[in-house]
Amino acid sequence: MSGGSPSTAGKALRLAWPIGMVLLGALVLATAWNRWTISLLFAVVAAVPLLLLRALVRAGLSAWFSAAMIALLSVMAAYLATTGAELTLEQTIRDVVPRLLTAPQPYDAAPDLLVGPLLLTALVSLLVGLRVDSRLRVEPVAGGAALYVAGMLLTAGRADPAGLVAVLVLVVALLGWVFLDEHGEPVRQRLAMAGPVSVVGVGVLAAVATLPVGSAFEPRDLVEAPTDDAVAVNPLAQLGAWANNPDVELLRVRGDEVPLRLVVLDRYDGRQWTATTRFEDIRSDGRTGLETGPYGVPATVQVEFAGLGGSWLPSPGTPTVVALPEARVDGGTTTLYTDDDTDGLGYQVTGSYDRPPDELLETARLPEDGLERYTELPTLPPPLADLASRLGADATGPYQLAVSIENVLRTELEQAPNARSGSALWRLSDFLLAGPEVPGGGVGTSEQFAAAFAVLARSNGLPTRVVVGFRPGEEPDDEADFRIVRGRDAFAWAEIYFDDLGWVPFSPTPDDQTFARATPVEATQPLLPEEAETGAVPSASASGTPDETPDPDAAGAGDAEAVPTSGDRSSGPSLPLVVGGGLAAALALLVLLRLGRRVRHARRGAAGAWAEVVDALRLSGLRPAPHEPADVVAAGVDARFGTRSAAIATLAERSAFGPPDTVSGSSADGAPRGRASLRRQVRDVRRRVRRATPLWRRWWWWLDPRVLLPAPRGATRTRTR
């Protein structure tokens, strides 16, 4: 039952396996840079310290002295690498985590970003090299897992979204444990034992990989990204100038034909709508103030500045990739900005905008928290506050209220390019409530339409923001491969955030069909200045009759039964639940079968006690020779583990072959005292054998199904007849 001396192939495997484990973790960590040269660098750093350490040890040097020298050389290399980054090594190491969690992804091949992860990889390789000869062999697995987890945290799970590398790590770890196990059990038997472990492990990883993306942990939320203050002109006030110069060329655009956002305005102080002026690197946070919806539509465009000017950078929705290193982003609104001159600037940007199905909007709901930033308002003048409350009095839901406000503005007010500009409360009050005898009464540009919509919506508790941007533009007559965005294409709109749907656009400007929906709710209430002055209460009903209020239950029942929507997630159990339930049932069955086997052994007295000893040997990977009797097997066990199994074997032999009344503690006398002594001896043998078992077998000890299979023939001569 003792292992022989390792062969040359075995020695090579003992060195190749830990290198492979560290290499797998290092390559996952390297994916944060998305460059093959960086992956090659991580692979070299993962292997060289371990190989160098083993070479020095074989040359006769102390393992710890060699490890200290290699660690010192690694630190010196890190110091030399950071000399050109205008940072000290102490600053680089101290700030490595915040720097990585706030830098744009994929990372640049910059020394201050590479030094920390490379030094971590080298130290892990070194520590694994120190424990290559460990009996438990858990250090290579722990080292590879540590680097794997570091890579997954840096990329928020994008390095291995399907969990394939995790499965590979598990399989390589089990194969190493199986083939490097020093027990005398044949490899075929070890593989038979490792099979169920692999199935369970792969099942768990598959269940984790199928969890919803929204539940993924994002470590960047724990670090506040460094920001810069910027000073830029609010483009909302420029809409009137662009409207008065409709033919001026602002942009040239190639790619998807979608509206472009220029600036998102999310703050209103009663005088104007303003944008955040604190910007950070692209994708240093990756999220907006409220989570985007699951119905995002990606779009990629190439933008070339013509007569636009300014520092804002148009984008098709929330930007995800910007081919402009100087670009900065506001983490809350995802507005793009640059400090550089934009005259003639060209760049490519990929973004995503929310476009949920129309049928889901009818039953849309607001999120329960995170709304304060988008519902803040100064104190409204009483007439304006009264108008807002009357608009929301009869609405059947948030979406119906938003569409009602939108249609009132579109149908009861007029658009004029030369209308008075401004979005202060007094200007919006004149726009909404004053008659034509007042300058700006009932007439405005898209600035007033969008700003008024946002104020009325926020007053009714709808999380709203104002967006300044452009329509897709028109293709020139010369069949060029680009579209021209002119002054007439500039406009403002509003967006409302709905739970599980995202930011839904609304355009209250008359005759604008940029965000037209298939089945809009019709507005029925007039908003005339004289009615506002007399205090008439218009109805916000969506049914077509001012005094008729639709029944929300009756309105939604037919649609809900007729057309199942893509947002229905309650059609059946999810895959993680099915996989998890199946694994739990299998584990519970194994536990019950093993428990039943122990109960049967306990009833058989001494013969059952020896059967428990044989089970312990099988679980530890030891296999008694078929021709060896119980007393010889017990002698080997006692010599190896320091147990006292010989007494159990003697009683079992007497129980099987001797007269029943001569067996103390056997099933013949049934003495409770003898049975208690047997149980204590069996527990001691089991504990000592399990303690000497490799960790990869030990954690599976109570679930290992091999003992449920028939024992090898002739393994013991203590079977009762």
Side-chain angles (χ1 to χ4, degrees):
M1 289 185 292
S2 61
S5 59
S7 63
T8 303
K11 292 180 179 179
L13 180 60
R14 290 184 179 185
L15 194 59
W17 178 65
I19 291 177
M21 293 301 304
V22 177
L23 185 61
L24 284 174
L27 291 179
V28 172
L29 182 57
T31 57
W33 281 262
N34 197 23
R35 297 185 182 184
W36 71 268
T37 53
I38 300 299
S39 298
L40 181 61
L41 177 60
F42 271 87
V44 171
V45 174
V48 168
L50 193 154
L51 292 173
L52 182 58
L53 174 63
R54 301 313 302 173
L56 293 176
V57 171
R58 291 190 63 181
L61 296 179
S62 166
W64 286 103
F65 174 79
S66 302
M69 292 299 100
I70 297 174
L72 180 60
L73 290 175
S74 301
V75 174
M76 291 179 61
Y79 170 75
L80 294 176
T82 56
T83 54
E86 299 181 355
L87 292 172
T88 65
L89 179 61
E90 185 269 336
Q91 290 175 325
T92 303
I93 300 302
R94 181 190 62 196
D95 300 332
V96 60
V97 174
R99 191 178 299 275
L100 287 170
L101 293 182
T102 56
Q105 285 192 346
Y107 294 134
D108 291 331
D112 57 329
L113 297 176
L114 279 169
V115 162
L118 285 175
L119 192 56
L120 172 65
T121 303
L123 293 178
V124 167
S125 176
L126 200 57
L127 292 175
V128 171
L130 284 172
R131 302 290 294 172
V132 163
D133 298 325
S134 170
R135 180 175 57 83
L136 295 179
R137 306 188 189 283
V138 297
E139 291 81 1
V141 180
L147 295 178
Y148 176 87
V149 171
M152 294 293 283
L153 289 175
L154 281 185
T155 60
R158 292 184 295 273
D160 187 26
L164 297 180
V165 180
V167 172
L168 184 59
V169 169
L170 174 65
V171 171
V172 172
L174 288 174
L175 289 177
W177 280 331
V178 167
F179 285 103
L180 296 178
D181 196 336
E182 297 180 355
H183 287 69
E185 187 180 29
V187 173
R188 181 173 56 84
Q189 296 293 332
R190 302 179 194 175
L191 290 176
M193 185 270 174
V197 181
S198 302
V199 172
V200 173
V202 172
V204 172
L205 293 175
V208 172
T210 55
L211 290 176
V213 177
S215 63
F217 172 65
E218 175 56 82
R220 294 171 181 267
D221 292 341
L222 306 178
V223 179
E224 184 177 354
T227 58
D228 296 331
D229 291 330
V231 178
V233 177
N234 189 339
L236 189 62
Q238 295 181 259
L239 289 174
W242 287 330
N244 282 310
N245 296 275
D247 296 325
V248 63
E249 185 175 326
L250 302 179
L251 299 168
R252 292 192 174 191
V253 182
R254 296 176 177 84
D256 296 321
E257 192 169 347
V258 295
L260 298 177
R261 292 181 186 173
L262 184 62
V263 178
V264 176
L265 310 170
D266 59 348
R267 298 180 180 177
Y268 186 65
D269 58 5
R271 294 173 297 177
Q272 60 179 343
W273 287 88
T274 56
T276 304
T277 57
R278 297 183 64 84
F279 295 88
E280 57 199 39
D281 290 332
I282 302 297
R283 298 187 66 177
S284 62
D285 179 69
R287 302 186 187 188
T288 59
L290 290 175
E291 292 297 320
T292 54
Y295 304 99
V297 179
T300 299
V301 296
Q302 292 180 335
V303 180
E304 181 180 340
F305 275 67
L308 179 61
S311 299
W312 309 106
L313 302 176
S315 167
T318 300
T320 55
V321 179
V322 183
L324 187 65
E326 301 80 10
R328 307 276 280 170
V329 66
D330 167 41
T333 63
T334 66
T335 298
L336 290 177
Y337 178 87
T338 181
D339 290 322
D340 294 348
D341 183 16
T342 58
D343 186 20
L345 176 68
Y347 62 95
Q348 179 172 298
V349 54
T350 298
S352 176
Y353 59 94
D354 292 317
R355 191 171 66 186
D358 293 340
E359 59 268 20
L360 296 184
L361 292 172
E362 297 292 339
T363 57
R365 291 293 178 262
L366 301 179
E368 296 180 356
D369 51 19
L371 305 179
E372 295 77 10
R373 175 179 179 178
Y374 306 98
T375 56
E376 289 181 348
L377 276 179
T379 302
L380 300 183
L384 191 58
D386 180 65
L387 173 62
S389 63
R390 286 188 279 117
L391 285 174
D394 297 326
T396 59
Y399 175 71
Q400 288 75 13
L401 172 60
V403 174
S404 180
I405 297 174
E406 179 187 49
N407 286 339
V408 164
L409 297 179
R410 290 174 66 94
T411 57
E412 299 299 323
L413 301 168
E414 297 181 4
Q415 180 186 14
N418 57 353
R420 177 180 291 187
S421 64
S423 54
L425 283 176
W426 67 267
R427 175 68 184 96
L428 298 182
S429 296
D430 289 347
F431 172 65
L432 293 170
L433 301 173
E437 66 279 0
V438 176
V443 178
T445 65
S446 64
E447 174 188 4
Q448 285 75 51
F449 282 93
F453 177 94
V455 168
L456 295 174
R458 284 195 174 191
S459 181
N460 283 281
L462 303 179
T464 314
R465 63 188 189 184
V466 174
V467 183
V468 179
F470 307 97
R471 299 179 184 91
E474 299 178 354
E475 296 182 359
D477 297 333
D478 56 2
E479 298 183 356
D481 62 344
F482 57 83
R483 300 184 303 277
I484 298 178
V485 177
R486 304 183 185 276
R488 68 172 66 93
D489 298 315
F491 74 119
W493 67 90
E495 293 180 341
I496 294 179
Y497 189 88
F498 295 104
D499 193 28
D500 290 332
L501 299 181
W503 289 104
V504 177
F506 293 85
S507 182
T509 304
D511 302 326
D512 180 68
Q513 301 299 320
T514 306
F515 306 109
R517 284 173 284 273
T519 55
V521 179
E522 297 295 336
T524 59
Q525 69 212 65
L527 180 63
L528 300 177
E530 49 268 29
E531 287 189 348
E533 293 173 357
T534 58
V537 182
S539 170
S541 170
S543 63
T545 305
D547 296 331
E548 180 181 353
T549 302
D551 184 358
D553 296 331
D559 295 339
E561 295 177 357
V563 183
T565 67
S566 60
D568 185 7
R569 298 177 174 85
S570 60
S571 57
S574 63
L575 180 59
L577 291 178
V578 173
V579 175
L583 290 175
L587 294 178
L589 179 60
L590 283 176
V591 171
L592 291 175
L593 292 176
R594 288 288 304 275
L595 182 61
R597 181 178 180 83
R598 293 189 64 180
V599 171
R600 291 195 303 271
H601 286 167
R603 291 176 177 175
R604 293 175 55 198
W610 178 247
E612 283 291 299
V613 173
V614 174
D615 280 356
L617 296 180
R618 295 178 64 186
L619 291 173
S620 70
L622 300 177
R623 185 182 182 185
H627 62 277
E628 291 181 337
D631 54 349
V632 176
V633 173
V637 172
D638 293 345
R640 183 184 183 97
F641 301 107
T643 58
R644 293 185 296 174
S645 62
I648 303 175
T650 300
L651 289 175
E653 292 280 5
R654 292 177 181 176
S655 174
F657 305 112
D661 57 350
T662 62
V663 182
S664 175
S666 67
S667 58
D669 62 12
R673 182 175 180 180
R675 289 181 181 273
S677 177
L678 262 175
R679 286 196 296 269
R680 286 195 300 270
Q681 291 176 349
V682 170
R683 283 198 300 268
D684 179 69
V685 173
R686 187 189 301 116
R687 182 173 61 253
R688 290 175 181 268
V689 173
R690 184 172 180 269
R691 188 181 302 164
T693 301
L695 183 63
W696 74 280
R697 292 181 183 274
R698 193 186 310 166
W699 77 271
W700 184 250
W701 182 278
W702 306 110
L703 300 174
D704 193 337
R706 290 183 305 163
V707 296
L708 303 175
L709 303 176
R713 295 186 59 185
T716 176
R717 297 182 181 179
T718 60
R719 298 177 185 172
T720 56
R721 299 176 183 177

